Amino acid sequence: MLNWWEKNFATCELGDERLNNRAYSIGQALSQGFGKALSEIFTSANELKRAYEFLPTAKQNLTK
């Protein structure tokens, strides 16, 4: 049986193999560290930064 992250990320097609690989590795790390803070899952500063850059975030317009 496939792991959760394989089911959800193995067939992703983001138009670039590097992005596909990043999604796959982030999904794997998130599934292994389920329930932990991102800073606990991604221990190096570079990994954490890449995960934050990759994951969707809500954009807010703060100008009035």
Side-chain angles (χ1 to χ4, degrees):
M1 186 167 124
L2 294 175
N3 290 325
W4 172 87
W5 58 272
E6 288 174 318
K7 288 180 187 176
N8 289 283
F9 291 93
T11 60
C12 70
E13 286 297 328
L14 302 175
D16 184 322
E17 188 174 344
R18 294 170 299 168
L19 292 176
N20 293 344
N21 291 337
R22 185 173 298 165
Y24 192 73
S25 65
I26 289 173
Q28 182 178 17
L30 290 174
S31 69
Q32 291 173 345
F34 184 77
K36 294 181 181 179
L38 289 179
S39 59
E40 293 178 89
I41 296 170
F42 302 101
T43 54
S44 79
N46 189 46
E47 287 177 328
L48 182 59
K49 179 181 177 184
R50 298 293 176 224
Y52 273 118
E53 290 174 344
F54 187 83
L55 297 171
T57 57
K59 303 287 183 197
Q60 295 181 355
N61 185 355
L62 300 177
T63 58
K64 292 186 177 191

